[in-house]
Amino acid sequence: MDSAEFHAAVYDFVRRIPLCRVTTYGHIARLIGMPNHSRHVGQALKFLPLNTNPPIPWHRVMGASGTISSRGPGTDGATRQRDALVAEGVHVTTGRTGDMRVDFKEFGWFPSVQELNADLESDLEEEE
């Protein structure tokens, strides 16, 4: 899989994350068959073109611990991600150290590839 194919696969699976649900970079990597490439998923989302249509809900993907990544000093990415999640109805807590976290038990989305394929087949049958 070359870089363009990888990015397209990442965007395809991220678009499938339902409203009010979150998943991890690692889970997206597993879904596309590249389980050791979670950091590459983050990079693909980092370089997401502006005004992508249909939109890609990048804010629904986070680290394995459920925390929102800081994105480095002087950036507002973590705040934008928190705001987008809260606007959807996802509860984001802020810890004593300022870390922002989402409870995967309540808001997590971790389907298998087989479950996603079954959902797609069902959707296609309904359209016919």
Side-chain angles (χ1 to χ4, degrees):
M1 181 180 300
D2 69 19
S3 179
E5 292 169 325
F6 182 85
H7 284 214
V10 167
Y11 302 154
D12 178 53
F13 279 102
V14 171
R15 280 187 178 110
R16 298 182 195 190
I17 304 170
L19 189 68
C20 295
R21 295 285 179 218
V22 296
T23 196
T24 65
Y25 300 109
H27 190 70
I28 296 296
R30 282 188 294 282
L31 289 174
I32 63 175
M34 306 281 288
N36 297 321
H37 290 78
S38 58
R39 289 181 186 222
H40 293 88
V41 170
Q43 288 296 313
L45 294 174
K46 179 180 179 180
F47 294 112
L48 185 65
L50 294 175
N51 302 318
T52 302
N53 197 9
I56 298 169
W58 61 270
H59 57 281
R60 297 179 188 156
V61 186
M62 56 189 44
S65 65
T67 57
I68 295 175
S69 304
S70 72
R71 314 267 187 322
T75 63
D76 67 344
T79 301
R80 288 187 307 121
Q81 185 172 9
R82 180 204 58 210
D83 293 349
L85 289 169
V86 168
E88 288 186 358
V90 175
H91 182 70
V92 179
T93 59
T94 304
R96 285 181 279 120
T97 59
D99 60 319
M100 294 178 274
R101 181 178 304 273
V102 173
D103 182 358
F104 286 146
K105 289 179 185 162
E106 185 174 355
F107 297 103
W109 181 78
F110 299 98
S112 69
V113 173
Q114 293 78 14
E115 290 172 312
L116 285 179
N117 288 339
D119 287 346
L120 279 177
E121 287 175 16
S122 175
D123 289 346
L124 290 174
E125 287 173 5
E126 287 177 11
E127 289 177 9
E128 293 176 355

